[in-house]
Amino acid sequence: MLQNLYPHLLAFHGALRWIVFAAALAAIFIALSNWRGLKPASGNLMRFSVLFVIAIDIEFLTGLVLYFGASPITRGALANIGEAMKYHEPRFFAIEHTAFMFLAVICAHVGGALARKGRTDLMKYRGAAIAYTISLLCMLSGTPWWRPFLRLGS
């Protein structure tokens, strides 16, 4: 059943990445806006933090559905991992993409926690800025840039 949904899930996953990138850039911009800690933490920091974390979580959950059920690439790679390591695309999706995106999700959540629970306003902004920037760098490193930028349908 998931195999039938593969093109649709992949299209959704590919389109949502642009929303995640935009949310990451917005959250980083807001967090950097008070890097020097001259003003108290604003609602914008929390709003954009929540937006980024929710967007990356939805993207990650969609990716997990693709990884464990719908994608013929990862199904084939996981069936014979030794053989998959010899070729770029199955290795990339079975190991590299998954690892980078998992790290990106962790960093996004750490940034969200720092934005919420930092001891000072300076720590909230700086912690979020650093964690979100690392998250964005992980996402950029783990994105398959050789694939179409936007998939519509199959």
PDB file of all heavy atoms in Angstrom, residues 21-37:
ATOM      1  N   PHE A  21      13.203  24.972   4.998  1.00  0.00           N
ATOM      2  CA  PHE A  21      14.332  25.889   4.788  1.00  0.00           C
ATOM      3  C   PHE A  21      13.934  27.325   5.103  1.00  0.00           C
ATOM      4  O   PHE A  21      14.675  28.055   5.762  1.00  0.00           O
ATOM      5  CB  PHE A  21      14.854  25.814   3.351  1.00  0.00           C
ATOM      6  CG  PHE A  21      15.714  24.612   3.057  1.00  0.00           C
ATOM      7  CD1 PHE A  21      15.597  23.942   1.851  1.00  0.00           C
ATOM      8  CD2 PHE A  21      16.655  24.152   3.963  1.00  0.00           C
ATOM      9  CE1 PHE A  21      16.380  22.838   1.567  1.00  0.00           C
ATOM     10  CE2 PHE A  21      17.442  23.051   3.691  1.00  0.00           C
ATOM     11  CZ  PHE A  21      17.313  22.390   2.494  1.00  0.00           C
ATOM     12  N   ALA A  22      12.749  27.749   4.636  1.00  0.00           N
ATOM     13  CA  ALA A  22      12.292  29.119   4.898  1.00  0.00           C
ATOM     14  C   ALA A  22      12.078  29.341   6.392  1.00  0.00           C
ATOM     15  O   ALA A  22      12.457  30.400   6.934  1.00  0.00           O
ATOM     16  CB  ALA A  22      11.007  29.397   4.123  1.00  0.00           C
ATOM     17  N   ALA A  23      11.487  28.371   7.074  1.00  0.00           N
ATOM     18  CA  ALA A  23      11.265  28.487   8.516  1.00  0.00           C
ATOM     19  C   ALA A  23      12.591  28.542   9.265  1.00  0.00           C
ATOM     20  O   ALA A  23      12.740  29.305  10.232  1.00  0.00           O
ATOM     21  CB  ALA A  23      10.411  27.326   9.016  1.00  0.00           C
ATOM     22  N   ALA A  24      13.562  27.747   8.811  1.00  0.00           N
ATOM     23  CA  ALA A  24      14.889  27.774   9.445  1.00  0.00           C
ATOM     24  C   ALA A  24      15.545  29.137   9.276  1.00  0.00           C
ATOM     25  O   ALA A  24      16.085  29.700  10.235  1.00  0.00           O
ATOM     26  CB  ALA A  24      15.775  26.676   8.855  1.00  0.00           C
ATOM     27  N   LEU A  25      15.502  29.665   8.056  1.00  0.00           N
ATOM     28  CA  LEU A  25      16.103  30.983   7.812  1.00  0.00           C
ATOM     29  C   LEU A  25      15.414  32.072   8.626  1.00  0.00           C
ATOM     30  O   LEU A  25      16.088  32.953   9.186  1.00  0.00           O
ATOM     31  CB  LEU A  25      16.065  31.315   6.325  1.00  0.00           C
ATOM     32  CG  LEU A  25      17.002  30.486   5.449  1.00  0.00           C
ATOM     33  CD1 LEU A  25      16.719  30.756   3.967  1.00  0.00           C
ATOM     34  CD2 LEU A  25      18.458  30.774   5.783  1.00  0.00           C
ATOM     35  N   ALA A  26      14.097  32.008   8.727  1.00  0.00           N
ATOM     36  CA  ALA A  26      13.364  32.998   9.516  1.00  0.00           C
ATOM     37  C   ALA A  26      13.725  32.885  10.998  1.00  0.00           C
ATOM     38  O   ALA A  26      13.955  33.903  11.667  1.00  0.00           O
ATOM     39  CB  ALA A  26      11.864  32.825   9.313  1.00  0.00           C
ATOM     40  N   ALA A  27      13.781  31.661  11.518  1.00  0.00           N
ATOM     41  CA  ALA A  27      14.130  31.459  12.930  1.00  0.00           C
ATOM     42  C   ALA A  27      15.555  31.929  13.208  1.00  0.00           C
ATOM     43  O   ALA A  27      15.819  32.554  14.250  1.00  0.00           O
ATOM     44  CB  ALA A  27      13.965  29.994  13.306  1.00  0.00           C
ATOM     45  N   ILE A  28      16.466  31.659  12.293  1.00  0.00           N
ATOM     46  CA  ILE A  28      17.853  32.123  12.461  1.00  0.00           C
ATOM     47  C   ILE A  28      17.906  33.645  12.434  1.00  0.00           C
ATOM     48  O   ILE A  28      18.577  34.270  13.264  1.00  0.00           O
ATOM     49  CB  ILE A  28      18.768  31.512  11.373  1.00  0.00           C
ATOM     50  CG1 ILE A  28      18.935  30.018  11.599  1.00  0.00           C
ATOM     51  CG2 ILE A  28      20.125  32.214  11.353  1.00  0.00           C
ATOM     52  CD1 ILE A  28      19.560  29.277  10.437  1.00  0.00           C
ATOM     53  N   PHE A  29      17.199  34.244  11.493  1.00  0.00           N
ATOM     54  CA  PHE A  29      17.186  35.707  11.389  1.00  0.00           C
ATOM     55  C   PHE A  29      16.657  36.339  12.679  1.00  0.00           C
ATOM     56  O   PHE A  29      17.238  37.291  13.200  1.00  0.00           O
ATOM     57  CB  PHE A  29      16.345  36.147  10.184  1.00  0.00           C
ATOM     58  CG  PHE A  29      16.250  37.629  10.041  1.00  0.00           C
ATOM     59  CD1 PHE A  29      17.309  38.366   9.535  1.00  0.00           C
ATOM     60  CD2 PHE A  29      15.095  38.301  10.434  1.00  0.00           C
ATOM     61  CE1 PHE A  29      17.233  39.741   9.416  1.00  0.00           C
ATOM     62  CE2 PHE A  29      15.000  39.677  10.322  1.00  0.00           C
ATOM     63  CZ  PHE A  29      16.072  40.399   9.818  1.00  0.00           C
ATOM     64  N   ILE A  30      15.552  35.821  13.204  1.00  0.00           N
ATOM     65  CA  ILE A  30      14.977  36.355  14.445  1.00  0.00           C
ATOM     66  C   ILE A  30      15.954  36.152  15.609  1.00  0.00           C
ATOM     67  O   ILE A  30      16.157  37.053  16.425  1.00  0.00           O
ATOM     68  CB  ILE A  30      13.611  35.685  14.754  1.00  0.00           C
ATOM     69  CG1 ILE A  30      12.592  36.037  13.685  1.00  0.00           C
ATOM     70  CG2 ILE A  30      13.112  36.049  16.141  1.00  0.00           C
ATOM     71  CD1 ILE A  30      12.239  37.507  13.583  1.00  0.00           C
ATOM     72  N   ALA A  31      16.559  34.975  15.690  1.00  0.00           N
ATOM     73  CA  ALA A  31      17.498  34.704  16.783  1.00  0.00           C
ATOM     74  C   ALA A  31      18.736  35.589  16.690  1.00  0.00           C
ATOM     75  O   ALA A  31      19.255  36.051  17.711  1.00  0.00           O
ATOM     76  CB  ALA A  31      17.884  33.229  16.784  1.00  0.00           C
ATOM     77  N   LEU A  32      19.200  35.852  15.469  1.00  0.00           N
ATOM     78  CA  LEU A  32      20.374  36.722  15.304  1.00  0.00           C
ATOM     79  C   LEU A  32      20.051  38.197  15.537  1.00  0.00           C
ATOM     80  O   LEU A  32      20.958  38.990  15.789  1.00  0.00           O
ATOM     81  CB  LEU A  32      20.967  36.546  13.907  1.00  0.00           C
ATOM     82  CG  LEU A  32      21.706  35.246  13.634  1.00  0.00           C
ATOM     83  CD1 LEU A  32      22.109  35.162  12.166  1.00  0.00           C
ATOM     84  CD2 LEU A  32      22.918  35.107  14.534  1.00  0.00           C
ATOM     85  N   SER A  33      18.765  38.551  15.459  1.00  0.00           N
ATOM     86  CA  SER A  33      18.378  39.957  15.592  1.00  0.00           C
ATOM     87  C   SER A  33      18.712  40.525  16.966  1.00  0.00           C
ATOM     88  O   SER A  33      18.830  41.734  17.122  1.00  0.00           O
ATOM     89  CB  SER A  33      16.882  40.126  15.311  1.00  0.00           C
ATOM     90  OG  SER A  33      16.114  39.571  16.362  1.00  0.00           O
ATOM     91  N   ASN A  34      18.846  39.666  17.953  1.00  0.00           N
ATOM     92  CA  ASN A  34      19.210  40.141  19.284  1.00  0.00           C
ATOM     93  C   ASN A  34      20.442  39.410  19.797  1.00  0.00           C
ATOM     94  O   ASN A  34      20.505  39.024  20.951  1.00  0.00           O
ATOM     95  CB  ASN A  34      18.022  39.973  20.246  1.00  0.00           C
ATOM     96  CG  ASN A  34      18.226  40.783  21.515  1.00  0.00           C
ATOM     97  OD1 ASN A  34      18.956  41.756  21.539  1.00  0.00           O
ATOM     98  ND2 ASN A  34      17.568  40.350  22.571  1.00  0.00           N
ATOM     99  N   TRP A  35      21.397  39.192  18.910  1.00  0.00           N
ATOM    100  CA  TRP A  35      22.616  38.473  19.262  1.00  0.00           C
ATOM    101  C   TRP A  35      23.333  39.126  20.442  1.00  0.00           C
ATOM    102  O   TRP A  35      23.907  38.462  21.284  1.00  0.00           O
ATOM    103  CB  TRP A  35      23.540  38.413  18.048  1.00  0.00           C
ATOM    104  CG  TRP A  35      24.822  37.694  18.307  1.00  0.00           C
ATOM    105  CD1 TRP A  35      26.029  38.250  18.579  1.00  0.00           C
ATOM    106  CD2 TRP A  35      25.024  36.280  18.326  1.00  0.00           C
ATOM    107  NE1 TRP A  35      26.975  37.275  18.768  1.00  0.00           N
ATOM    108  CE2 TRP A  35      26.378  36.046  18.613  1.00  0.00           C
ATOM    109  CE3 TRP A  35      24.190  35.189  18.121  1.00  0.00           C
ATOM    110  CZ2 TRP A  35      26.920  34.778  18.706  1.00  0.00           C
ATOM    111  CZ3 TRP A  35      24.724  33.916  18.216  1.00  0.00           C
ATOM    112  CH2 TRP A  35      26.076  33.721  18.509  1.00  0.00           C
ATOM    113  N   ARG A  36      23.278  40.456  20.515  1.00  0.00           N
ATOM    114  CA  ARG A  36      23.981  41.169  21.595  1.00  0.00           C
ATOM    115  C   ARG A  36      23.163  41.215  22.881  1.00  0.00           C
ATOM    116  O   ARG A  36      23.668  41.655  23.901  1.00  0.00           O
ATOM    117  CB  ARG A  36      24.341  42.577  21.146  1.00  0.00           C
ATOM    118  CG  ARG A  36      25.386  42.534  20.028  1.00  0.00           C
ATOM    119  CD  ARG A  36      25.864  43.879  19.654  1.00  0.00           C
ATOM    120  NE  ARG A  36      24.759  44.621  19.033  1.00  0.00           N
ATOM    121  CZ  ARG A  36      24.815  45.888  18.706  1.00  0.00           C
ATOM    122  NH1 ARG A  36      25.893  46.584  18.942  1.00  0.00           N
ATOM    123  NH2 ARG A  36      23.794  46.478  18.133  1.00  0.00           N
ATOM    124  N   GLY A  37      21.926  40.773  22.845  1.00  0.00           N
ATOM    125  CA  GLY A  37      21.118  40.687  24.056  1.00  0.00           C
ATOM    126  C   GLY A  37      20.697  42.018  24.619  1.00  0.00           C
ATOM    127  O   GLY A  37      20.587  42.179  25.822  1.00  0.00           O
TER     128      GLY A  37
END
